[in-house]
């Protein structure tokens, strides 16, 4: 499984017979003076991580370095046991609604979507093309962040702007983090002892990037991110929802350019813009020490969460569970507690003792009397991508 960023490649090698991870790694700072590769073999119960720092010029050289590390463990990319390579692709538009075997037409469409994903799709394409050159005989599968959200009804996906303009420029709400929302909603149903078709779930994916989704019977009916990953919740460096007129005001009154406003809203806003920190652990430490700037940032973050929980409760009509996931969602007990505080009339509450327990396992942290389960469900986007890739390749070979 490959996740190619603009200057990084994350990878995992999995044995899909039992979902076992054989190796994981990361190449970062590609193209810089000093790049870093960290590779951890996991075959046989875990191994010692190996790290190297040296110049790595481009993604092709990065994947060659990955192949060499895997070969050193007897798991080379040239292995006949390698069945497929799955790629995370951020933006698939409305065209890609499921995992897709990559060919020239798929590459062309992903490239055509670059204007709505200028930071992500070019890097994804680079990783795909490099992997295809290394193993042209293998099926290469694209798994799209947006695919899970393509089930949204038009009433949720459309913005209320001129239809002709919207269609001409592909302006609509696509949503992101789809592999995580798919995995977590399904695992939440499993935690409740039910099938996904029986359960309505609000999923809160809270990391440096953050998004919410309303999932009815295993199908996404609304999500907080929109045309880009900027819309929705307060994030580490992204603003989330703002009045669009803020942009015009900053242009006219602040004299800022479009690029400067883009950088402001994507890289200098959210928690870091509010208090100078985007690490929730540091923010909570500051709150506990009486830092008013950090306290306000935390309250704004939680206020937005509450709004989306309430909105998606209304969208779904019946909610069986609210599931917290990703780095903040899984580890920040104060965020979970604050997000549902005061929502007892909606059947939501957390048990203080259960909520305070740290664990890598999916678990319920609400008291037995709560009508709506509050769950902590560790996400596994890499496994989801691998499972979708494997299922598609197996179906093609049957």
């Amino acid at each position: 499984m490959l996740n190619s960023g603009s200057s990084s490649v994350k990878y995992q090698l999995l044995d899909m017979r039992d979902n076992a991870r054989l190796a994981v790694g990361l190449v970062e700072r590609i193209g810089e003076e000093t790049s870093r590769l960290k590779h951890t073999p996991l075959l046989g119960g875990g191994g010692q991580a190996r790290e190297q720092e040296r110049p790595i010029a481009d993604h092709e050289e990065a994947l060659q370095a990955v192949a060499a590390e895997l070969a050193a463990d007897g798991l080379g990319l040239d292995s006949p046991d390698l069945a497929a390579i799955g790629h995370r692709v951020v933006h698939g538009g409305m065209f890609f609604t499921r995992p897709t075997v990559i060919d020239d037409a798929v590459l062309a469409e992903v490239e055509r979507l670059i204007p709505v994903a200028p930071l992500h799709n070019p890097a994804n394409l680079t990783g795909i093309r490099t992997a295809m050159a290394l193993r042209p005989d293998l099926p290469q599968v694209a798994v799209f962040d947006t695919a899970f959200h393509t089930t949204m009804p038009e009433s949720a996906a459309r913005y209320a702007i001129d239809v002709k303009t919207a269609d001409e420029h592909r302006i609509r709400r696509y949503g992101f983090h789809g592999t995580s929302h798919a995995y977590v909603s399904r695992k939440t149903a499993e935690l409740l002892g039910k099938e996904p078709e029986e359960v309505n779930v609000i999923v809160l994916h809270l990391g440096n990037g953050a998004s919410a989704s309303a999932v009815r019977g295993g199908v996404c009916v609304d999500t907080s991110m929109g045309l880009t990953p900027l819309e929705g919740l307060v994030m580490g460096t992204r603003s989330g929802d703002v009045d669009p007129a803020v942009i015009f005001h900053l242009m006219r009154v602040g004299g800022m350019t479009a690029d400067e406003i883009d950088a402001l809203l994507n890289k200098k806003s959210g928690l870091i813009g509010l208090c100078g920190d985007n690490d929730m652990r540091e923010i909570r430490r500051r709150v506990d020490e009486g830092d008013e700037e950090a306290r306000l940032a935390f309250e704004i973050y939680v206020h937005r969460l509450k709004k989306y929980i309430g909105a998606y409760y209304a969208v779904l009509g019946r909610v069986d569970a609210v599931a917290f996931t990703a780095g903040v969602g899984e580890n920040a007990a104060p965020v979970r507690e604050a997000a549902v505080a005061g929502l007892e009339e909606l059947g939501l509450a957390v048990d203080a003792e259960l909520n305070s327990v740290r664990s890598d396992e999916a678990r319920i942290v609400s008291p037995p009397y709560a009508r709506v389960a509050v769950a902590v469900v560790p996400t596994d986007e890499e496994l989801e991508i691998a499972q979708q890739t494997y299922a598609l390749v197996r179906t093609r070979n049957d």
Side-chain angles (χ1 to χ4, degrees):
M1 192 290 298
L2 290 176
N3 182 354
S4 300
S6 58
S7 61
S8 67
V9 174
K10 296 178 184 177
Y11 64 93
Q12 293 195 12
L13 182 65
L14 297 98
D15 185 340
M16 299 313 298
R17 291 171 294 190
D18 58 1
N19 293 336
R21 285 175 171 80
L22 306 181
V24 301
L26 168 67
V27 188
E28 56 186 348
R29 302 197 296 267
I30 296 170
E32 298 184 20
E33 186 174 335
T34 302
S35 307
R36 175 174 173 265
L37 189 158
K38 181 177 181 181
H39 173 85
T40 305
L42 301 174
L43 188 62
Q48 184 66 37
R50 303 194 295 266
E51 295 191 35
Q52 53 178 290
E53 291 194 357
R54 60 181 176 86
I56 296 177
D58 51 32
H59 283 69
E60 181 176 358
E61 187 176 340
L63 286 185
Q64 293 282 9
V66 170
E69 291 293 330
L70 291 170
D73 302 322
L75 303 167
L77 286 182
D78 59 350
S79 169
D81 293 328
L82 193 60
I85 299 178
H87 297 266
R88 178 195 180 214
V89 179
V90 168
H91 214 309
M94 290 302 294
F95 189 80
F96 299 109
T97 62
R98 57 180 59 87
T100 304
V101 174
I102 299 168
D103 57 19
D104 289 343
V106 172
L107 288 172
E109 183 63 20
V110 172
E111 190 162 15
R112 201 155 68 96
L113 287 163
I114 285 175
V116 289
L119 299 179
H120 299 94
N121 275 29
N124 299 155
L125 283 166
T126 299
I128 290 169
R129 287 176 171 137
T130 303
M132 291 177 78
L134 286 172
R135 283 300 302 267
D137 57 310
L138 278 184
Q140 310 267 342
V141 175
V143 179
F144 298 91
D145 268 14
T146 49
F148 184 64
H149 305 303
T150 57
T151 55
M152 285 192 294
E154 287 293 280
S155 57
R158 284 237 178 224
Y159 291 109
I161 66 173
D162 173 67
V163 171
K164 184 178 178 181
T165 301
D167 289 346
E168 180 181 354
H169 298 288
R170 300 185 176 197
I171 298 172
R172 62 185 291 120
R173 301 182 62 250
Y174 294 101
F176 300 88
H177 294 145
T179 51
S180 177
H181 287 278
Y183 179 87
V184 170
S185 60
R186 191 173 64 251
K187 285 295 178 181
T188 302
E190 185 179 303
L191 188 62
L192 298 179
K194 298 182 179 182
E195 294 297 320
E197 295 78 13
E198 302 176 283
V199 175
N200 291 354
V201 185
I202 297 171
V203 178
L204 302 172
H205 176 108
L206 308 180
N208 192 50
S211 59
S213 67
V215 183
R216 178 184 292 124
V219 175
C220 178
V221 295
D222 207 348
T223 193
S224 58
M225 286 179 167
L227 174 73
T228 75
L230 180 58
E231 187 180 358
L233 302 175
V234 175
M235 305 177 221
T237 66
R238 298 179 196 139
S239 64
D241 295 338
V242 295
D243 180 348
V246 168
I247 297 168
F248 313 136
H249 180 78
L250 290 174
M251 285 180 167
R252 293 166 182 154
V253 178
M256 295 178 69
T257 66
D259 286 344
E260 287 172 335
I261 296 170
D262 190 303
L264 170 71
L265 297 179
N266 277 289
K267 298 178 180 178
K268 301 176 183 178
S269 296
L271 292 171
I272 205 164
L274 290 167
C275 70
D277 271 311
N278 63 332
D279 186 322
M280 186 57 72
R281 293 166 296 188
E282 180 64 15
I283 291 170
R284 283 304 310 175
R285 183 193 66 77
R286 289 171 56 186
V287 170
D288 292 341
E289 291 179 354
D291 186 312
E292 285 301 306
E293 197 175 58
R295 179 193 60 78
L296 179 58
F298 183 79
E299 289 180 353
I300 292 170
Y301 183 92
V302 169
H303 179 77
R304 190 78 56 83
L305 269 179
K306 283 180 182 284
K307 285 177 66 175
Y308 271 90
I309 291 171
Y312 287 171
Y313 206 119
V315 167
L316 291 170
R318 187 199 83 241
V319 175
D320 299 293
V322 174
F324 289 84
T325 193
V328 174
E330 294 170 28
N331 297 301
V335 169
R336 298 191 295 264
E337 179 182 8
V340 302
L343 302 182
E344 291 82 8
E345 289 297 318
L346 298 179
L348 287 159
V350 296
D351 179 286
E353 184 175 348
L354 293 174
N355 191 44
S356 65
V357 173
R358 296 291 294 269
S359 174
D360 293 330
E361 300 297 320
R363 59 203 185 276
I364 302 292
V365 297
S366 48
Y369 61 79
R371 293 199 319 272
V372 178
V374 177
V376 181
V377 182
T379 192
D380 197 333
E381 295 174 271
E382 291 79 13
L383 179 59
E384 181 71 16
I385 291 168
Q387 288 177 333
Q388 291 190 28
T389 297
Y390 180 64
L392 176 59
V393 171
R394 187 176 57 181
T395 300
R396 291 176 78 238
N397 291 337
D398 287 345

